Amino acid sequence: MALLHDGVGCTVIALCLGHQSVETTQFYLHADLRIKEKAMGKTRPVGVAPGRFKPDNTLLGFLKSL
């Protein structure tokens, strides 16, 4: 994951790991939430403030009651 965070491409990482295809390396990408959060930060809708969703107490109370 450190290589990926440093900007090394998936193809290069796949070769270093000895994977036959880049698709095998995709499992590592799906496991890393930091990459997902960074990508989602770049694709947020216009007019929406950046940041994480913070549920209010009403929603948290409902979820706890389930």
Side-chain angles (χ1 to χ4, degrees), residues 12 18 37 46 48 57 63:
V12 175
E37 187 172 17
V46 176
V48 175
N57 289 332
L63 293 172

Side-chain angles (χ1 to χ4, degrees), residues 13 28 38 43 53:
I13 294 172
Y28 297 103
K38 185 177 178 182
T43 60
F53 173 73

Side-chain angles (χ1 to χ4, degrees), residues 28-50:
Y28 297 103
L29 295 177
H30 291 293
D32 193 327
L33 294 177
R34 290 183 292 174
I35 293 173
K36 288 182 180 182
E37 187 172 17
K38 185 177 178 182
M40 290 183 72
K42 292 181 180 179
T43 60
R44 63 183 161 80
V46 176
V48 175

Side-chain angles (χ1 to χ4, degrees), residues 3-52:
L3 291 173
L4 192 61
H5 288 292
D6 288 339
V8 177
C10 296
T11 306
V12 175
I13 294 172
L15 290 172
C16 290
L17 294 174
H19 294 167
Q20 287 184 328
S21 68
V22 177
E23 287 80 25
T24 307
T25 311
Q26 294 298 322
F27 292 110
Y28 297 103
L29 295 177
H30 291 293
D32 193 327
L33 294 177
R34 290 183 292 174
I35 293 173
K36 288 182 180 182
E37 187 172 17
K38 185 177 178 182
M40 290 183 72
K42 292 181 180 179
T43 60
R44 63 183 161 80
V46 176
V48 175
R52 290 181 174 224

